[in-house]
């Protein structure tokens, strides 16, 4: 479920970042897209690693990329680069993904023996 939500956010990010001015193509637009791609990619990579400790590390990386993207969306909102309705769409996905990702991290942490 979290991977699917992350993929939805990734696709949405690509669509909405088309609104960013061309002079930001290699700046904010590129950075936002890289962060968005990292979110589901880290989830997939962690799941393929085979151990709970490795999975946890990649889930933390995914959560960090999610926070990065959320900050970048806020910057775009403040600057007025992206339409408010599109920002709201992204935030709705983030509002579902963030707690689901944290719950998964908590579950994985419960599987790790100290």
């Amino acid at each position: 479920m979290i991977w699917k939500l992350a993929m939805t956010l990734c696709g949405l990010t690509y669509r909405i970042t088309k609104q960013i001015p061309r002079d930001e193509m290699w700046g904010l637009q590129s950075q936002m897209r890289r962060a968005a791609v990292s979110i589901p990619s880290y989830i997939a990579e962690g799941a393929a690693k085979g151990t709970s400790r490795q999975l946890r590390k990649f889930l933390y990386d995914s959560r960090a990329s999610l926070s990065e993207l959320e900050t970048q969306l806020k910057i775009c909102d403040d600057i007025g680069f992206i339409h408010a309705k599109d920002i709201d769409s992204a935030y709705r996905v983030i509002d579902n993904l963030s707690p689901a990702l944290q719950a998964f991290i908590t579950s994985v942490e419960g599987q790790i023996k100290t």
Side-chain angles (χ1 to χ4, degrees):
M1 176 184 148
I2 63 169
W3 180 83
K4 192 170 185 171
L5 280 171
M7 290 294 288
T8 298
L9 181 60
C10 185
L12 182 58
T13 299
Y14 266 78
R15 285 190 298 281
I16 66 177
T17 55
K18 289 179 182 179
Q19 299 170 36
I20 295 175
R22 288 182 77 58
D23 63 338
E24 280 293 328
M25 183 184 309
W26 302 112
L28 191 56
Q29 181 190 62
S30 177
Q31 191 170 353
M32 290 175 72
R33 287 176 173 185
R34 283 192 314 270
V37 166
S38 293
I39 299 164
S41 297
Y42 281 132
I43 294 166
E45 188 171 358
K49 288 291 183 176
T51 71
S52 294
R53 286 186 193 278
Q54 289 172 316
L55 173 58
R56 177 182 62 181
K57 181 245 187 266
F58 283 95
L59 292 175
Y60 276 123
D61 290 344
S62 180
R63 187 176 67 181
S65 291
L66 181 60
S67 293
E68 179 183 355
L69 179 59
E70 189 172 13
T71 298
Q72 293 157 349
L73 285 165
K74 176 67 173 139
I75 291 166
C76 285
D77 190 22
D78 290 349
I79 295 171
F81 279 172
I82 298 174
H83 299 120
K85 67 178 177 59
D86 295 324
I87 293 280
D88 291 343
S89 295
Y91 283 145
R92 277 193 296 278
V93 176
I94 290 169
D95 287 346
N96 288 311
L97 177 56
S98 186
L101 183 56
Q102 183 56 50
F104 191 30
I105 290 169
T106 300
S107 172
V108 170
E109 286 177 336
Q111 298 170 14
I112 297 172
K113 295 180 173 98
T114 54

